[in-house]
Amino acid sequence: MAIETWRSATKGEDLLFLLASSFRRQDVLGPENFRPSIDYSRSVALSGFFAGAFLLNVFARSLRVGDEVVRRFGDSSETQLAREMRFELLSKLDLAESDLKDGAMGRIGDAVIAAVYASDRPISNGLRKLVKEEFPKPQCYACGKALGWRASAGLPVVSLDHVWPAAWGGDSVLENLLPACSDCNTSRNDLIGWQWVSAQALVGEHDSGSFLERLPRQYKNSIHLRAVVAYACSARVTLKDAAILIGPVLLEPQKIDERDTTDFFNLVAHDIDRYDPSWSRE
Ligand SMILES: [Zn+2]
């Protein structure tokens, strides 16, 4: 069964998509639930949130188990590493092989190994040069601040951010790197999906103004990421291309529907004049 995804640029994303399509019970992770579109009805938005949170939980646990197995058996033969990975994933993820489609566990194990090794690859000087050619006048993709490639330019110096975080199997490849300021790079803190925050807990006050001013950065980033993912899925582009098209995070998110509750699902954190979230309305 096909699941709506964006165009993957990294081993980590490949693993996520593989997990999403490997469960037998598609009522949990079926396309209807996984689709990360911006939908203004609370029930659809919430079911998408729970399906995504479940998937990210399995994904993050798989990689943590994978780190440990590669550390212990990385020097063994490929066959033994693959066998140990499969065994440890099954025993530590609380999954039964019958939860998954035939042969899926072996493919997941191989994808975990590839993602763990991808996490470890540094950004080479050659690669940095390619990003520099792509962005001769760099801006932070997250906050929009003007940046310089060298300290002498009188601007904050570019730090390259892995759009899909390196810690989660994000390869150091051109399709996964964007210029960022060091504050945003640090504060992003390995956010991999908008479901990473407790979106259901964010419900505002009647005075939405002061609530929005005090909104913690992780919520703004998550709301922004939800839009990036939704755009990437609908246009079948990479997260990097979607982030460039949508533009930086707004300092203060805006309500979509003024008359409705100020909660996670009623907020946008990017400039809707650039890309209106209605792109994903059906
Ligand atoms: Zn920034």
Side-chain angles (χ1 to χ4, degrees):
M1 192 178 291
I3 286 195
E4 286 196 40
T5 52
W6 57 88
R7 197 158 67 74
S8 169
T10 71
K11 300 288 188 297
E13 292 161 89
D14 291 343
L15 171 63
L16 182 79
F17 300 158
L18 180 61
L19 286 169
S21 60
S22 293
F23 284 82
R24 278 190 202 282
R25 289 189 46 186
Q26 290 288 317
D27 54 334
V28 180
L29 280 175
E32 289 309 312
N33 289 332
F34 182 67
R35 181 186 301 156
S37 66
I38 294 174
D39 190 301
Y40 302 131
S41 81
R42 297 292 190 273
S43 59
V44 173
L46 262 180
S47 72
F49 170 79
F50 289 122
F54 171 76
L55 181 61
L56 289 184
N57 179 290
V58 176
F59 170 81
R61 287 164 63 99
S62 303
L63 272 181
R64 287 294 169 260
V65 173
D67 277 337
E68 168 73 14
V69 174
V70 167
R71 202 173 53 73
R72 280 167 53 205
F73 299 99
D75 294 334
S76 313
S77 69
E78 267 181 46
T79 323
Q80 197 193 346
L81 178 60
R83 195 169 49 227
E84 296 291 344
M85 189 64 81
R86 195 166 151 275
F87 175 77
E88 288 293 320
L89 285 171
L90 278 171
S91 66
K92 301 238 168 80
L93 295 182
D94 302 324
L95 289 176
E97 207 142 359
S98 58
D99 290 333
L100 302 169
K101 292 178 183 167
D102 290 337
M105 205 60 225
R107 289 194 296 278
I108 290 170
D110 293 345
V112 170
I113 293 169
V116 168
Y117 282 122
S119 295
D120 261 351
R121 290 191 197 107
I123 301 169
S124 68
N125 286 337
L127 192 53
R128 193 178 159 85
K129 208 166 148 239
L130 288 177
V131 186
K132 190 174 164 185
E133 282 164 17
E134 194 181 2
F135 299 96
K137 288 187 179 168
Q139 262 194 315
C140 173
Y141 81 100
C143 74
K145 198 183 285 173
L147 305 169
W149 283 103
R150 285 174 304 135
S152 60
L155 294 164
V157 179
V158 167
S159 96
L160 290 183
D161 192 26
H162 290 84
V163 183
W164 187 262
W168 299 120
D171 306 33
S172 294
V173 291
L174 189 60
E175 297 75 27
N176 193 39
L177 292 170
L178 274 176
C181 71
S182 54
D183 286 348
C184 287
N185 202 342
T186 313
S187 73
R188 174 146 176 229
N189 218 353
D190 296 345
L191 184 76
I192 40 170
W194 59 276
Q195 302 93 339
W196 210 236
V197 304
S198 52
Q200 73 277 28
L202 187 78
V203 181
E205 302 139 8
H206 290 298
D207 176 10
S208 63
S210 64
F211 174 74
L212 291 177
E213 275 167 32
R214 287 183 281 108
L215 200 65
R217 188 191 285 254
Q218 59 163 340
Y219 282 108
K220 290 183 205 170
N221 287 341
S222 292
I223 292 163
H224 184 251
L225 184 58
R226 180 186 55 178
V228 169
V229 171
Y231 184 82
C233 286
S234 73
R236 294 284 298 167
V237 297
T238 60
L239 293 179
K240 171 178 172 174
D241 288 339
I244 293 169
L245 283 162
I246 282 181
V249 185
L250 294 177
L251 284 179
E252 205 178 294
Q254 308 290 317
K255 280 177 82 167
I256 296 166
D257 184 345
E258 268 306 320
R259 297 155 304 177
D260 209 342
T261 317
T262 312
D263 68 6
F264 187 91
F265 300 106
N266 190 24
L267 293 173
V268 286
H270 66 285
D271 183 355
I272 57 168
D273 289 337
R274 282 179 76 117
Y275 276 91
D276 188 302
S278 60
W279 68 66
S280 59
R281 270 182 167 163
E282 286 170 10

